[in-house]
Amino acid sequence: MNAYRPAGGHQPASAAFPKYCRLTKTDEFSSVFGFRKALRSRHFLLHYRLRAAEETMGARLGLVVAKRFLRRSVDRNLIRRLARENFRLLRCRLLPRDLILRLAVKPEALDRRALAEEIRSLLGKMISPEA
């Protein structure tokens, strides 16, 4: 038995972050930015676009963490890890939308808990009303 995997060998489907839940292509990012809907928090912008019924069900996430705000790759990767983890935990309750979380302002201090709570509150605004 592997210490890093549950006994079944796979994570539960609702807690995974598979490739089909990610925005990967430039035109996918462009369509979300072109929709021009966004929610703002202290450090982030959450751009979103409703998905058509014929598209895959569920929410998808894209991340933009600019080098001009965080020069060190370690810091940029921390933001990405926090965003992916919070998205992964909330994904089963999110409306079917394409989401892009973008760092909009340079954080004065990298407080993991504060940034994670900020990301969680932004994503929480996208939760379906029946969940």
Side-chain angles (χ1 to χ4, degrees):
M1 179 181 317
N2 190 341
Y4 298 107
R5 287 193 191 162
H10 298 286
Q11 288 183 336
S14 63
F17 188 52
K19 191 161 186 166
Y20 66 84
C21 292
R22 305 174 199 172
L23 296 177
T24 55
K25 298 181 180 143
T26 303
D27 56 337
E28 293 172 340
F29 277 82
S30 298
S31 69
V32 176
F33 286 131
F35 194 64
R36 305 193 51 86
K37 295 282 187 180
L39 299 174
R40 178 177 275 287
S41 70
R42 185 173 176 198
H43 296 105
F44 298 99
L45 274 172
L46 181 65
H47 299 271
Y48 62 93
R49 178 183 74 89
L50 294 172
R51 298 183 63 196
E54 64 272 2
E55 292 181 292
T56 315
M57 292 302 296
R60 296 190 306 172
L61 178 68
L63 298 169
V64 177
V65 183
K67 197 182 223 181
R68 69 179 180 178
F69 294 132
L70 294 172
R71 297 296 298 170
R72 297 177 356 153
S73 62
V74 173
D75 298 334
R76 292 193 304 274
N77 290 335
L78 170 68
I79 299 292
R80 290 186 191 111
R81 275 194 318 274
L82 291 172
R84 283 193 301 262
E85 179 65 12
N86 284 293
F87 175 78
R88 185 185 68 81
L89 294 172
L90 294 172
R91 182 176 61 105
C92 62
R93 296 171 37 207
L94 293 172
L95 292 169
R97 294 183 176 166
D98 286 342
L99 307 170
I100 297 177
L101 185 70
R102 182 170 67 116
L103 184 66
V105 179
K106 179 179 180 173
E108 50 281 345
L110 284 176
D111 180 10
R112 289 173 190 239
R113 288 190 178 152
L115 290 171
E117 181 56 39
E118 189 175 341
I119 293 168
R120 196 173 13 255
S121 71
L122 268 178
L123 291 174
K125 294 177 182 176
M126 294 289 143
I127 291 179
S128 61
E130 65 273 357

